[in-house]
Amino acid sequence: MTYLDGLNERQKEAVLATEGPVSVLAGAGSGKTHVLTTRIYHLIRQGTPADSILAVTFTNKAAREMRERLAKRLDAESAYGSPMPFIATFHGLGREILQQHGTVIGIPRYFTIFDRDDSEKVIKEGLKALDVDPKEVPPRFVLSRISQAKNAGLDAASFNDKHGRESFRSRIVADVWKRYEEAKKKEKALDFDDLITLPVKLMKEHAEVRRALQNRFAYIHVDEYQDTNVVQGDLIHLMLAPQQNVFVVGDIDQAVYTWRQATIENLLQFTKTYPSARSIILEHNYRSTKTIVEAANSIIELNRNRIEKKSVTDNPDGERIVIHPENYAEGEGRYIARECRKLIRQGQSAEKIAVLFRTNFQSRVLEEAFLSEGVPYKLLGTRFFDRKEVKDVLSWVRLALDPARELDRTRAVQYPPRGIGKVTLGKMVAGKPEDFKPSERAKIAAFEEILQALNEASQTALPSAFVRLVIEKSGIQDALEKGGEDDQERLGNIRELATLATRYDGYPGQEGISLFLTDAALASDQDELDRKENVGGVNLMTVHAAKGLEFETVFVSGLEEGLFPHEGMGNSEKRDEEEERRLFYVAVTRAEKRLYLTFARIRRIYGTDFLSEPSSFLRDIDPALTHYSETFEEFEEIIEV
């Protein structure tokens, strides 16, 4: 078994532990993706049918990387080349379950997925119908409460029974939730949470569906298990066959999503949930220098709610960690931009540099500094699929599949402009065709004719060809071609959409188009890193967005008390402190060779200048591992050494 060559003993133990429940505590840089893919490959080599193997992770990027690694191995040996295991995100798995079995609970096979904007728009309409000012009860707040309730196992009715009389806001949430569910049903739509909660409901209420899934997947693998919530834990548990062949990989020290209802208890209590489970710890770090590994150990060992492990590495000591103070945030930004420029001139690839920050507002000062210093950068956060022109095309695509979708109809009929104003649109939505004027009827008939032609084409067209057809027939292409320079860029974006759709050309007609639409709705920030336009610049992103990534050089900015660690997270002070430290640990362990820790004495927040102390996290690192920059003497009095 030459594919086991190069694995250390603990990694090999994990790969060969194929039967029963297994938990792997994998430290940062310990090669967990390599272990996961090698274990799946080993199962296939031992005769397990590939399509009876499931692997679940949290981002499209991680799932794609696992598929590509495995496909490369399998394609090299034609005997194992087909089919492939099912590798997907949790939401992708939920989509698969609902598309295959959802009709049992009234879910259409081809449903659309509301993104956050769609959900907030419907909720806003619900608030207006109740005569509630969206400024008094923000749609985002309502959506957050609904999401929290769903992930706690509540539906609209049970939430109303449990919380409907607690407060004015709770009553409004309960009332709006009912309207929200009605609107989704009318639009044949689900939201992100439905993709997890509904499969759980389906399996709990329908034993035949549960058995079918247990028979389909003999071996289940879960990546980043520390980030699962209660409902996701239930989803996996319900899918397990009696043999309980479940392999979970996680790291409690990188659990940073409790604010999304993730619970580290799923990993902490794994051996209690599955008493026969084997536990394996991967402590060897292959990513970072010894200096960075030792610094990370000194940070995270201060947390109490964890499973003891200590990362080790054979890598060289490397450079000491640079700590750089500045008087103002603007000066901090300029220092980082200039250091990046210096590193790039010395041969460092810009795209292998990351500047991390705790909260999104910090990006403005950093962007201004990079622009001023002429250093190329890309800001992770503006998703390709959130751009207006892209959402316009996607609305047309969804509407072509199902002309009954009112939200998409409202958007599509308004762009490109076709002389159908708000009054006419109101008549359309109200379903009063008898009120149309002759001129209105002609315009609406032309619009409906385009939709009918596109609907017919969707039955047989390849997804990429269909997207190109939509761009042309809708009139969007013509409108943008006549526009200015900005419109030319937008035209390039929607053409890129057709290129992305080629990934789904292996699926027939509407099935491929539906898969394309679902993945577009579920795309994450990290998917932006793989886009051609995002190659060649320094990466600016939050620490949360950087989780799972690695870079040769990392700057962690804004290390000020109250900012990082951040104030006001959650309800438990102890949990806040430990989660913030885990987040700092994640930031530090993204670095392979160089690590810079920066802070400012004065930072303007919401128009007010705040004087800050250096982050307490800086004192957690052994001073022997760090090196203060040349400005240290100016700040010596306020830095504890």
Side-chain angles (χ1 to χ4, degrees):
M1 293 187 287
T2 57
Y3 54 88
L4 298 179
D5 294 346
L7 297 176
N8 64 40
E9 290 306 309
R10 292 284 182 86
Q11 290 176 325
K12 194 177 295 182
E13 180 185 356
V15 168
L16 298 177
T18 58
E19 306 306 309
V22 181
S23 72
V24 176
L25 193 68
S30 61
K32 67 178 180 64
T33 304
H34 182 54
V35 169
L36 266 170
T37 52
T38 303
R39 185 181 193 268
I40 294 171
Y41 180 70
H42 172 69
L43 284 169
I44 296 171
R45 287 293 302 265
Q46 297 303 301
T48 303
D51 54 2
S52 71
I53 299 171
L54 169 67
V56 192
T57 187
F58 276 87
T59 67
N60 288 331
K61 182 178 175 64
R64 188 161 56 247
E65 182 181 352
M66 288 175 64
R67 281 194 293 267
E68 288 171 353
R69 288 193 188 191
L70 195 58
K72 190 173 181 180
R73 282 184 166 182
L74 295 175
D75 288 346
E77 306 173 41
S78 58
Y80 306 102
S82 182
M84 279 282 287
F86 190 82
I87 301 174
T89 62
F90 268 98
H91 292 101
L93 172 62
R95 173 194 65 193
E96 171 75 6
I97 293 171
L98 292 174
Q99 285 186 333
Q100 296 300 320
H101 305 282
T103 53
V104 174
I105 55 173
I107 306 297
R109 178 167 172 76
Y110 297 123
F111 50 81
T112 191
I113 298 175
F114 275 1
D115 61 17
R116 176 172 282 276
D117 286 347
D118 295 328
S119 294
E120 289 186 7
K121 188 181 297 183
V122 171
I123 287 170
K124 187 175 182 179
E125 291 301 318
L127 290 168
K128 287 182 178 179
L130 295 171
D131 201 24
V132 176
D133 187 349
K135 293 180 180 178
E136 186 178 356
V137 183
R140 182 167 295 187
F141 165 80
V142 176
L143 183 60
S144 177
R145 283 293 302 273
I146 292 173
S147 178
Q148 289 173 14
K150 283 184 178 181
N151 285 300
L154 301 178
D155 58 17
S158 54
F159 177 86
N160 185 46
D161 293 341
K162 188 172 183 179
H163 301 291
R165 295 179 179 85
E166 288 180 352
S167 66
F168 168 73
R169 280 192 163 194
S170 293
R171 178 170 58 80
I172 294 303
V173 169
D175 289 344
V176 171
W177 192 348
K178 294 176 186 175
R179 294 172 181 271
Y180 179 54
E181 292 301 324
E182 290 169 1
K184 284 192 298 172
K185 187 174 182 180
K186 186 177 180 181
E187 294 287 331
K188 299 179 184 177
L190 305 177
D191 63 20
F192 294 148
D193 294 318
D194 292 332
L195 295 178
I196 310 298
T197 58
L198 290 179
V200 169
K201 172 184 171 69
L202 178 60
M203 285 189 282
K204 282 182 176 179
E205 296 179 355
H206 297 275
E208 72 281 7
V209 174
R210 186 169 67 250
R211 284 193 296 270
L213 290 166
Q214 290 173 350
N215 290 333
R216 177 177 175 182
F217 296 117
Y219 292 88
I220 296 178
H221 303 74
V222 187
D223 191 15
E224 304 285 9
Y225 196 63
Q226 80 282 347
D227 290 335
T228 55
N229 60 31
V230 171
V231 182
Q232 288 164 333
D234 289 346
L235 177 67
I236 297 301
H237 187 73
L238 287 165
M239 293 181 67
L240 287 179
Q243 294 81 4
Q244 294 190 330
N245 293 328
V246 58
F247 181 89
V248 303
V249 182
D251 184 5
I252 288 165
D253 295 335
Q254 297 185 68
V256 295
Y257 286 112
T258 59
W259 53 279
R260 289 184 182 173
Q261 289 78 56
T263 173
I264 59 176
E265 296 304 313
N266 284 345
L267 187 53
L268 282 172
Q269 302 295 323
F270 188 81
T271 54
K272 289 185 179 180
T273 305
Y274 306 100
S276 63
R278 291 178 61 176
S279 296
I280 301 167
I281 299 178
L282 303 182
E283 296 178 301
H284 198 103
N285 184 302
Y286 292 93
R287 175 187 300 157
S288 306
T289 64
K290 192 169 293 183
T291 295
I292 293 170
V293 169
E294 290 180 4
N297 283 334
S298 68
I299 293 162
I300 203 61
E301 67 187 10
L302 296 174
N303 274 5
R304 295 183 178 182
N305 194 22
R306 62 190 293 262
I307 298 172
E308 185 63 33
K309 69 171 173 32
K310 191 177 184 72
S311 293
V312 297
T313 187
D314 296 329
N315 291 337
D317 291 344
E319 301 175 18
R320 284 196 291 174
I321 298 165
V322 176
I323 298 180
H324 181 84
E326 282 283 350
N327 269 318
Y328 291 91
E330 289 77 9
E332 179 194 34
R334 285 193 298 271
Y335 168 77
I336 292 172
R338 288 167 182 169
E339 282 296 306
C340 288
R341 184 173 60 194
K342 185 192 303 181
L343 290 167
I344 293 168
R345 286 176 176 173
Q346 291 171 354
Q348 166 78 80
S349 169
E351 60 194 60
K352 293 184 179 179
I353 303 174
V355 181
L356 309 182
F357 40 88
R358 176 62 182 82
T359 59
N360 280 306
F361 82 83
Q362 293 171 256
S363 66
R364 182 191 62 80
V365 168
L366 290 166
E367 281 197 89
E368 288 179 356
F370 274 76
L371 287 168
S372 176
E373 298 297 329
V375 180
Y377 74 93
K378 51 184 179 288
L379 177 65
L380 198 64
T382 303
R383 296 194 312 127
F384 173 77
F385 292 106
D386 284 340
R387 295 171 185 176
K388 178 187 178 300
E389 64 273 15
V390 172
K391 295 192 78 167
D392 286 336
V393 173
L394 292 176
S395 277
W396 271 93
V397 172
R398 286 192 296 265
L399 188 61
L401 258 64
D402 185 356
R405 289 174 173 146
E406 286 188 8
L407 280 178
D408 290 316
R409 177 176 292 269
T410 300
R411 184 172 192 129
V413 80
Q414 294 180 85
Y415 189 81
R418 56 192 74 247
I420 299 176
K422 291 183 179 179
V423 174
T424 308
L425 185 59
K427 295 175 186 176
M428 288 179 67
V429 172
K432 296 181 177 179
E434 66 277 5
D435 293 343
F436 292 148
K437 298 175 183 177
S439 59
E440 292 174 332
R441 285 198 183 93
K443 292 170 184 175
I444 292 169
F447 174 73
E448 296 293 347
E449 187 177 336
I450 295 170
L451 282 183
Q452 178 63 32
L454 289 174
N455 180 262
E456 292 174 3
S458 72
Q459 310 293 329
T460 56
L462 295 177
S464 61
F466 183 67
V467 172
R468 289 195 296 271
L469 188 65
V470 166
I471 292 169
E472 178 191 349
K473 295 295 184 184
S474 66
I476 293 176
Q477 177 175 301
D478 185 56
L480 293 177
E481 283 178 342
K482 292 176 180 177
E485 186 175 334
D486 288 345
D487 282 340
Q488 297 309 307
E489 182 178 338
R490 295 184 182 102
L491 183 59
N493 286 334
I494 62 172
R495 285 173 173 164
E496 174 67 8
L497 194 62
T499 300
L500 292 174
T502 59
R503 296 176 181 173
Y504 305 86
D505 283 351
Y507 299 91
Q510 291 194 347
E511 181 179 351
I513 298 168
S514 179
L515 285 170
F516 163 67
L517 287 169
T518 305
D519 283 350
L522 298 178
S524 69
D525 288 345
Q526 287 192 3
D527 293 312
E528 298 300 294
L529 291 174
D530 295 332
R531 291 180 44 73
K532 292 178 182 178
E533 67 188 59
N534 284 336
V535 174
V538 175
N539 302 278
L540 309 185
M541 66 184 78
T542 64
V543 182
H544 282 99
K547 189 169 177 291
L549 305 177
E550 56 188 51
F551 304 92
E552 286 187 11
T553 301
V554 170
F555 293 80
V556 185
S557 63
L559 280 162
E560 298 134 33
E561 205 62 22
L563 181 57
F564 201 0
H566 198 269
E567 292 178 344
M569 292 283 293
N571 300 314
S572 166
E573 185 176 343
K574 182 177 179 182
R575 181 179 293 274
D576 293 348
E577 181 184 336
E578 294 213 345
E579 177 139 346
E580 287 295 299
R581 186 173 285 110
R582 291 196 294 266
L583 193 58
F584 184 47
Y585 173 80
V586 167
V588 166
T589 55
R590 298 312 92 200
E592 298 173 356
K593 295 181 179 179
R594 299 176 201 86
L595 178 63
Y596 294 75
L597 308 176
T598 68
F599 64 91
R601 290 282 284 144
I602 299 172
R603 187 178 298 274
R604 178 160 291 188
I605 302 175
Y606 301 122
T608 302
D609 287 342
F610 287 88
L611 182 66
S612 302
E613 293 295 317
S615 172
S616 55
F617 291 154
L618 294 172
R619 298 193 292 273
D620 296 341
I621 302 173
D622 184 347
L625 303 173
T626 64
H627 164 69
Y628 283 90
S629 65
E630 66 279 1
T631 59
F632 168 61
E633 292 181 2
E634 301 175 32
F635 298 86
E636 192 166 2
E637 292 182 3
I638 57 93
I639 300 175
E640 294 184 27
V641 293

